[in-house]
Amino acid sequence: MILINGQPENRIPVSDRGLQYGDGLFETLAFRNGELELLEQHIMRLQRGCKRINLSFQHVDSLRAELAMLCAQTAEDSVIKIILTRGSGGRGYKAPLENEAIRIISSHSMPEYPEANQSGVTVRLCEQRLGLNPTLAGLKHLNRLEQVLARSEWDDRTISEGLMLNINENLIEGTMSNLFIVKNQQLLTPALTQAGIAGIMRSKVMEIADSMSIACHEKALTVNDLLDADEVFLTNSIIKLWPVKTLLHNDTNTHWQHGALTQQIQNALKDLAH
Amino acid sequence: MILINGQPENRIPVSDRGLQYGDGLFETLAFRNGELELLEQHIMRLQRGCKRINLSFQHVDSLRAELAMLCAQTAEDSVIKIILTRGSGGRGYKAPLENEAIRIISSHSMPEYPEANQSGVTVRLCEQRLGLNPTLAGLKHLNRLEQVLARSEWDDRTISEGLMLNINENLIEGTMSNLFIVKNQQLLTPALTQAGIAGIMRSKVMEIADSMSIACHEKALTVNDLLDADEVFLTNSIIKLWPVKTLLHNDTNTHWQHGALTQQIQNALKDLAH
């Protein structure tokens, strides 16, 4: 089911700037056990994103009501996607001055990931590099061609994710997830000042780490930092947390345990309604 | 009028990857005096772009027929936009393996630029920087948030274009045009290996310069190179060529003449059907 500004509708005008220029933002949320997980955090990220791209988003309460309407029609656990676009109008790249964001919300079946992913997945390194773009870094905007190209590099279902470097060979994230490394009982995660998406689950993990007095540092990381890690895990709003057990890299495999600190974070993420 | 895969239709599915991820390419052509200017060059760029983003585009002949159909309905000089998207399907960023490109073509009224632009325009420098992205540089893809943000910086109709630097302070292009500098009877234009769109009119100017034995170099350029230029001009498929007469920069204005070499190129661009 799809609602556009509250109306059941599965098509948008070709003139929508979301299509024409990728002029918009999105969010992907888990609807699990009758709850939209971390809804407030997702809404706050949308608001921050709108501010950064100068997109008016006054109708937050309408969005909440529409999400409730969508979820009421959704019996099972689902993925809920919110897209905000700048709508139609303007002249070429020049945006209309006063467009309120168009709200497109849709529900999708939850991906059927193997249960075994909870104890560890296999990942690869992508050839596709992330560009450097400080003004857009961190944002979950609609310009995602880099991720599409990275994700097209493999078709082997036993590989759950591809890790991406930026053009300076800094490790940034997975194609659809954020990356954490455990080293000496501390968490490290790539700084997202020049590339990458600052995930809601990434923030949640940092918040949990803080509440457990586990140090967590955002910093520039390389493949060597990864190879040198004690534990490795990935996060996003749908998977929550996947430990990484194997990295395929230059015909050699690197292995990690499903370690104690990863398990501690994973347990803390179990009940996530808020 | 809009045709999608040959059918009159002004909406696309929300699921289209062009909206979801900016997963596609576009072209903007001038339909002038009953001719689609530089059509073959635009089609070749689409084909090159599709190859770079692994998008199947077999139905080139259908596109030609659809453009003919659209232009037959278009009495006046118009802007014709072609969008190719990867269509719907796939799983998240993972694209379907065999999608043929969706062809969206539309006609739009020609922008009413002042006739005086032919002898010189005023431009500014944008604050918004272009990111570095060697794998996508040159392509006219649908990820254009940088241009949207740059173009939102001014609302003064006497400023015709904004010039953009990349994050390394190299001068790259205008928000909707390519940039040429004349220096010592030679043409210089920014190398587009890390950012920017390699315009069809840019290529045409380089071809014309070659045929006139005017040297043209693609190289890294800075604002100082611009300030030091003998003549400056902008190109794109709709405007063809605008000389730059004034640059607004740090409260000082820099002026250039509508010089001889610029006029020579401008004259050569007058008849452009092929």
Side-chain angles (χ1 to χ4, degrees):
Chain A
M1 189 191 190
I2 307 178
L3 297 176
I4 303 184
N5 284 358
Q7 301 302 311
E9 173 58 75
N10 59 17
R11 295 189 303 168
I12 59 152
V14 163
S15 57
D16 192 282
R17 299 176 62 93
L19 170 67
Q20 298 280 329
Y21 310 122
D23 193 1
L25 304 167
F26 73 108
E27 292 289 328
T28 309
L29 295 77
F31 178 64
R32 254 187 293 243
N33 306 316
E35 296 265 12
L36 270 175
E37 290 178 357
L38 304 174
L39 174 61
E40 291 313 311
Q41 288 87 332
H42 285 280
I43 284 179
M44 278 189 291
R45 181 166 64 173
L46 278 179
Q47 290 175 311
R48 284 194 305 270
C50 283
K51 208 163 179 182
R52 277 180 65 187
I53 69 166
N54 308 313
L55 174 56
S56 170
F57 178 36
Q58 303 297 316
H59 299 169
V60 182
D61 289 342
S62 304
L63 177 66
R64 285 180 208 279
E66 290 152 13
L67 287 168
M69 206 189 308
L70 188 73
C71 290
Q73 309 262 344
T74 305
E76 295 174 345
D77 289 358
S78 303
V79 174
I80 305 293
K81 187 162 178 177
I82 305 171
I83 298 178
L84 296 185
T85 80
R86 211 182 304 264
S88 299
R91 166 156 219 113
Y93 295 128
K94 177 74 174 162
L97 286 180
E98 310 239 322
N99 270 26
E100 168 73 7
I102 303 289
R103 306 175 300 280
I104 305 172
I105 63 173
S106 53
S107 58
H108 308 267
S109 61
M110 195 58 90
E112 290 178 9
Y113 296 122
E115 183 58 30
N117 285 10
Q118 295 302 316
S119 52
V121 297
T122 297
V123 304
R124 65 190 290 283
L125 287 177
C126 293
E127 299 288 328
Q128 173 69 41
R129 294 293 184 266
L130 290 163
L132 306 183
N133 192 323
T135 49
L136 296 177
L139 284 179
K140 202 167 170 93
H141 56 66
L142 293 174
N143 286 199
R144 300 269 74 106
L145 207 36
E146 292 173 339
Q147 281 75 14
V148 170
L149 294 178
R151 187 58 190 84
S152 73
E153 291 179 14
W154 82 98
D155 201 29
D156 177 343
R157 282 168 172 273
T158 66
I159 301 174
S160 298
E161 177 62 305
L163 303 183
M164 298 187 74
L165 308 176
N166 71 11
I167 59 171
N168 289 344
E169 302 295 305
N170 287 122
L171 196 56
I172 303 295
E173 61 191 3
T175 63
M176 59 162 195
S177 59
N178 288 118
L179 173 72
F180 285 87
I181 282 175
V182 178
K183 184 68 187 174
N184 300 331
Q185 301 300 313
Q186 297 197 335
L187 286 178
L188 303 176
T189 192
L192 304 180
T193 50
Q194 303 225 300
I197 300 176
I200 294 298
M201 200 56 66
R202 175 178 182 268
S203 302
K204 191 71 192 176
V205 165
M206 292 166 83
E207 186 188 312
I208 287 171
D210 189 55
S211 75
M212 291 176 166
S213 302
I214 299 165
C216 179
H217 302 287
E218 293 181 79
K219 55 178 286 199
L221 294 176
T222 64
V223 171
N224 282 338
D225 293 313
L226 176 65
L227 297 176
D228 197 38
D230 300 328
E231 305 169 28
V232 178
F233 64 87
L234 304 172
T235 61
N236 80 23
S237 293
I238 308 305
I239 68 172
K240 287 188 182 177
L241 185 157
W242 285 345
V244 177
K245 65 176 181 194
T246 303
L247 170 73
L248 308 177
H249 180 44
N250 293 342
D251 300 326
T252 58
N253 297 347
T254 305
H255 298 285
W256 295 277
Q257 298 296 318
H258 183 192
L261 203 149
T262 299
Q263 290 187 44
Q264 219 180 327
I265 304 280
Q266 205 170 6
N267 286 332
L269 289 174
K270 276 195 177 138
D271 177 21
L272 257 198
H274 307 294
Chain B
M1 188 192 189
I2 306 179
L3 298 176
I4 303 184
N5 286 358
Q7 301 302 311
E9 172 61 78
N10 58 15
R11 296 189 303 167
I12 59 153
V14 164
S15 57
D16 192 285
R17 300 174 61 92
L19 171 67
Q20 298 278 329
Y21 310 122
D23 193 0
L25 304 168
F26 72 107
E27 294 288 329
T28 310
L29 294 77
F31 177 63
R32 254 188 291 243
N33 307 318
E35 297 263 12
L36 269 174
E37 288 178 355
L38 304 175
L39 174 61
E40 291 313 309
Q41 287 86 332
H42 285 281
I43 285 180
M44 279 189 292
R45 180 168 64 174
L46 278 178
Q47 289 175 313
R48 285 194 304 270
C50 283
K51 208 163 177 181
R52 277 179 66 187
I53 70 166
N54 307 312
L55 174 55
S56 172
F57 178 35
Q58 302 297 314
H59 299 171
V60 182
D61 289 342
S62 303
L63 176 65
R64 284 180 209 280
E66 289 152 15
L67 288 169
M69 205 187 313
L70 189 72
C71 290
Q73 309 261 343
T74 305
E76 295 173 345
D77 289 357
S78 304
V79 174
I80 305 294
K81 187 162 177 176
I82 305 170
I83 297 178
L84 297 185
T85 81
R86 211 183 303 267
S88 298
R91 169 156 217 113
Y93 295 128
K94 177 76 174 160
L97 286 180
E98 312 236 324
N99 270 27
E100 168 72 9
I102 303 288
R103 304 175 301 281
I104 305 172
I105 63 174
S106 53
S107 57
H108 309 267
S109 62
M110 194 59 86
E112 290 176 11
Y113 295 122
E115 182 59 29
N117 284 10
Q118 295 303 315
S119 51
V121 296
T122 296
V123 305
R124 64 190 291 283
L125 287 176
C126 293
E127 298 288 327
Q128 174 68 39
R129 294 295 185 263
L130 291 162
L132 305 183
N133 192 323
T135 49
L136 295 177
L139 284 179
K140 202 166 168 94
H141 55 66
L142 293 174
N143 286 198
R144 300 268 74 107
L145 207 37
E146 291 172 340
Q147 280 76 13
V148 170
L149 294 178
R151 188 57 192 81
S152 73
E153 290 179 14
W154 81 100
D155 200 29
D156 177 343
R157 282 167 172 275
T158 65
I159 301 175
S160 297
E161 177 62 307
L163 303 183
M164 298 187 73
L165 308 175
N166 71 12
I167 58 172
N168 288 343
E169 301 296 304
N170 287 121
L171 195 57
I172 303 297
E173 60 190 5
T175 64
M176 60 162 195
S177 60
N178 287 118
L179 174 73
F180 286 86
I181 282 176
V182 178
K183 185 68 190 173
N184 300 332
Q185 300 301 313
Q186 299 197 332
L187 286 178
L188 302 175
T189 192
L192 304 181
T193 50
Q194 304 225 299
I197 299 177
I200 294 299
M201 201 56 66
R202 176 179 182 269
S203 301
K204 192 71 192 175
V205 165
M206 293 167 82
E207 189 188 308
I208 286 170
D210 190 54
S211 75
M212 292 176 167
S213 301
I214 299 165
C216 179
H217 302 289
E218 294 180 79
K219 54 179 289 198
L221 294 177
T222 64
V223 172
N224 282 337
D225 293 313
L226 176 65
L227 297 176
D228 197 37
D230 300 327
E231 306 170 27
V232 179
F233 63 88
L234 304 172
T235 62
N236 81 23
S237 292
I238 307 307
I239 67 172
K240 289 190 181 175
L241 185 156
W242 283 345
V244 176
K245 65 176 180 193
T246 304
L247 170 74
L248 308 177
H249 179 46
N250 293 341
D251 300 326
T252 58
N253 297 349
T254 306
H255 298 286
W256 295 278
Q257 299 296 317
H258 182 191
L261 203 148
T262 298
Q263 290 188 42
Q264 218 180 328
I265 303 279
Q266 207 170 5
N267 286 333
L269 289 173
K270 276 195 177 138
D271 177 21
L272 256 197
H274 307 294

